[in-house]
Amino acid sequence: MFRTVNVAKWKQKWMQTLLMGRTFLLLSIASAMFFIVLGLGGLLEQKLDSSPLASMKGVAAQLSSRIFVDMLAMEMPNLPSGEGESSLTRTQIAQFLVQMATNVNPLDPKSLIAGEVPGLNSEQAIPLRLGTGNQSAKGPVDYPSPLAEETFPEHGGEPIEDAGGGAPPQTVQPGPPSDAEGSGPSSNLKDYVFIYHSHNRESWNPELKKESTNPNDAKINVTLVGKHLQKELQKRGIGAVHSNQDYASTIKGYSWNYSYKYSKQTVKQAMAEHQDLQFFFDIHRDALRRKDSTVEIDGTSYAQVYFVIGRGNPDWRENEKFAKEIHDRLEERYPGVSRGIWGKSTAQGNGEYNQSLSPNSVIMEIGGIDNTLEENYRTAEVLADLIAEIVREKTNAKPVMKPQNEQKRQAPERNTANRKNAPPAANG
C-alpha cells in the first residue's frame, strides 16, 4: 500500500529550518565578533594606558547598578526589584540610546553642535562615575580665559578683574611658610591632609551681592570653604594644613593660565615642611547655576560636588580610586550631593592638576556661582566626616578627645548665623 508524500510541505519545513539555522548562525558570528572586538579593545586600552571611557564618551557611566537589578527582575519574578521609582523609565532609556548612538546628550543642547563647531567640544569632560545628583550627565562648567591669552586655559574660570597675560616666572615662589597654616604643635595631631586652591579667588554671587557669570573676590572666596574643611577635620581628630595663597597678588607677572604651575610649587613646599602629608585636596567653585549645583536633603540645601581627575597623570586610576572612596560614601549617606567623578585630559586643560604628586590627590569643585557660603560650609562638614573616616582607615589615626570646656567654646561655630556673619579670611 503506497503513501502519498507532500513534497511541498516538507520543502517548506526544511526552508523554515534552514532560515532559522542561518539566522542563529549569523547571530552567533555577530556575538563572537562583538566579544572579540571588546577583548581586543581591552588589550589595546591596557597597552595605550588610556581610559576605556574615552571611546564610549562616558555613556556607560550613565548605567547604575540599579538598572541591572531591574533588568534581572523583569526576567525573574521572584527577584525583588530596587526600591523607589524604577530606573528603567522611558525617558532614561531614550536618553541613553540617543547618546550612545549619536554622542548627543538630549538634555544638553550644546552637545548637538559641539561636534561640528571647532573648539566647542574641547572642554568636554568624561564622566567616570555619575552621582545620584547628576543623572543627566552634565559635566563641570569652566569659563575660558579672555582671547588675549595665547596659552590654552588650564581649568576653571579666569578672574575677570585680574586677567593677565604675563609669562610665568622662571622660579615660582608661592609665598612664605605662614601661608600654609597647620594644626600646630599644641593640637597633638599629625597633619595628614593638605587643602589648597589653584583658583583661590573663585567666589559666589549671593556673598558678593552682585550678579556675575564668574564672580571673583580677593577676600570672600573659596579659601573660606577650605579653611572650614580644615577646622572640621581637626574637630574629628585629623590634622590638616590649609593654604590660602593669593597668587594674583604675590606672583610677579601672574598669569591665570599658569595657576597649576604656581599651586604645584605650593604643594611641594607643603610636603617639604609637613612630612606626614598624604592627602591633597584642591578645592574650587564650579561655574554652574544654582539649579545644577544644589541639592536639598531633609529640607536642608547643600552645595553639590564634582570630583575631577586629571587623566594626563599616568597613574590617574589610583587617584580615581581614591575619589571613588569619597564618592561612594556620599552616595550612601548623602545621595545627591555628589555629581560624580569626571576625567579630563590635556585636551581639556592642564590634564594633570598636580595629581601625579600623590595617588590621594583630587580636585573637588564644591557648589556653583549662585550657592551661599552656608551651603558650601554644610557640604564641607559632610566631606570632613567622610574624609576623616578614610584617613583613619589608611593611617590608623585616632580621634583626639578634646576637653569639655574647649568643646563648649567651639559649639557656636556650628551656628548658622555665626557662620554667615563671620569676617572673611584674608588671603596671603
Side-chain angles (χ1 to χ4, degrees):
M1 190 173 182
F2 295 98
R3 187 176 180 181
T4 304
V5 178
N6 191 335
V7 178
K9 183 178 180 180
W10 279 99
K11 183 178 180 180
Q12 185 179 7
K13 287 184 177 180
W14 273 105
M15 291 297 294
Q16 290 177 351
T17 303
L18 290 173
L19 182 62
M20 291 177 61
R22 185 175 66 176
T23 303
F24 177 77
L25 180 62
L26 290 175
L27 288 175
S28 299
I29 294 175
S31 299
M33 292 298 296
F34 176 74
F35 285 107
I36 290 174
V37 170
L38 283 182
L40 292 175
L43 293 174
L44 183 63
E45 180 268 326
Q46 291 180 0
K47 185 176 181 180
L48 296 178
D49 195 32
S50 61
S51 170
L53 292 176
S55 59
M56 289 293 291
K57 299 297 183 181
V59 173
Q62 297 186 61
L63 292 175
S64 66
S65 58
R66 168 74 185 281
I67 287 181
F68 297 103
V69 173
D70 289 342
M71 291 177 66
L72 288 173
M74 292 170 65
E75 301 297 330
M76 304 173 63
N78 294 329
L79 181 67
S81 59
E83 298 180 358
E85 183 183 357
S86 174
S87 57
L88 290 173
T89 64
R90 292 182 179 180
T91 302
Q92 289 173 322
I93 292 176
Q95 177 191 345
F96 173 78
L97 292 176
V98 169
Q99 187 162 351
M100 182 177 65
T102 66
N103 195 32
V104 173
N105 186 349
L107 301 181
D108 185 8
K110 177 184 174 182
S111 64
L112 183 62
I113 58 174
E116 303 299 327
V117 179
L120 188 58
N121 204 28
S122 62
E123 296 180 2
Q124 182 181 6
I126 296 173
L128 304 177
R129 298 181 186 275
L130 286 182
T132 304
N134 188 18
Q135 290 302 309
S136 61
K138 190 169 186 177
V141 174
D142 303 329
Y143 282 100
S145 60
L147 296 177
E149 293 279 11
E150 296 181 359
T151 308
F152 192 86
E154 290 184 329
H155 180 77
E158 166 72 20
I160 295 173
E161 63 269 29
D162 289 303
Q170 296 296 321
T171 303
V172 179
Q173 298 296 335
S178 60
D179 285 331
E181 182 182 349
S183 302
S186 60
S187 68
N188 296 321
L189 298 179
K190 287 187 176 181
D191 290 324
Y192 289 117
V193 177
F194 184 59
I195 304 164
Y196 67 105
H197 313 271
S198 294
H199 300 148
N200 63 287
R201 293 194 174 191
E202 292 174 333
S203 188
W204 316 271
N205 288 324
E207 304 301 328
L208 299 183
K209 310 299 182 185
K210 63 181 181 180
E211 182 66 22
S212 172
T213 57
N214 191 23
N216 281 264
D217 191 81
K219 292 185 178 181
I220 305 175
N221 54 48
V222 73
T223 62
L224 297 175
V225 182
K227 183 64 178 178
H228 192 73
L229 177 60
Q230 179 199 28
K231 290 181 178 179
E232 292 299 316
L233 285 170
Q234 290 170 346
K235 288 179 183 179
R236 292 156 177 79
I238 301 299
V241 181
H242 175 243
S243 171
N244 61 357
Q245 176 69 33
D246 181 34
Y247 301 107
S249 63
T250 58
I251 299 296
K252 184 178 180 181
Y254 166 80
S255 172
W256 173 87
N257 284 339
Y258 298 101
S259 297
Y260 288 95
K261 290 180 175 62
Y262 305 144
S263 62
K264 190 168 192 174
Q265 297 303 316
T266 299
V267 176
K268 287 183 175 180
Q269 181 175 334
M271 295 174 74
E273 296 175 358
H274 304 270
Q275 302 295 325
D276 294 314
L277 291 179
Q278 298 182 33
F279 306 89
F280 302 85
F281 298 96
D282 187 0
I283 297 181
H284 294 248
R285 180 266 299 147
D286 196 75
L288 287 170
R289 303 308 302 235
R290 182 173 182 82
K291 67 182 180 68
D292 293 318
S293 66
T294 314
V295 65
E296 188 170 300
I297 302 176
D298 297 329
T300 302
S301 58
Y302 295 81
Q304 293 179 301
V305 184
Y306 279 109
F307 298 94
V308 178
I309 301 298
R311 290 171 51 240
N313 167 25
D315 300 317
W316 66 267
R317 289 180 181 82
E318 294 299 317
N319 299 79
E320 193 269 340
K321 181 180 178 181
F322 173 61
K324 180 180 179 295
E325 293 187 57
I326 308 174
H327 165 79
D328 287 348
R329 298 182 195 218
L330 276 175
E331 288 288 276
E332 179 183 356
R333 302 183 204 176
Y334 299 88
V337 171
S338 175
R339 291 187 66 86
I341 305 173
W342 291 71
K344 286 195 170 188
S345 68
T346 52
Q348 290 101 30
N350 175 274
E352 189 264 344
Y353 307 125
N354 306 331
Q355 292 171 8
S356 61
L357 296 176
S358 170
N360 300 319
S361 176
V362 65
I363 285 179
M364 296 194 299
E365 297 195 356
I366 303 178
I369 61 176
D370 297 322
N371 284 106
T372 64
L373 188 56
E374 177 64 24
E375 290 167 338
N376 281 271
Y377 279 172
R378 291 191 192 115
T379 300
E381 291 165 11
V382 167
L383 290 170
D385 279 334
L386 308 181
I387 292 171
E389 290 179 3
I390 294 171
V391 172
R392 290 193 196 101
E393 292 171 5
K394 292 179 179 289
T395 64
N396 295 321
K398 297 180 179 180
V400 176
M401 298 301 295
K402 297 182 179 180
Q404 189 70 20
N405 59 346
E406 185 174 350
Q407 291 180 351
K408 291 180 180 180
R409 288 198 305 269
Q410 291 183 345
E413 291 187 19
R414 301 186 63 84
N415 181 274
T416 300
N418 286 349
R419 275 203 219 133
K420 292 194 71 173
N421 297 329
N427 284 276

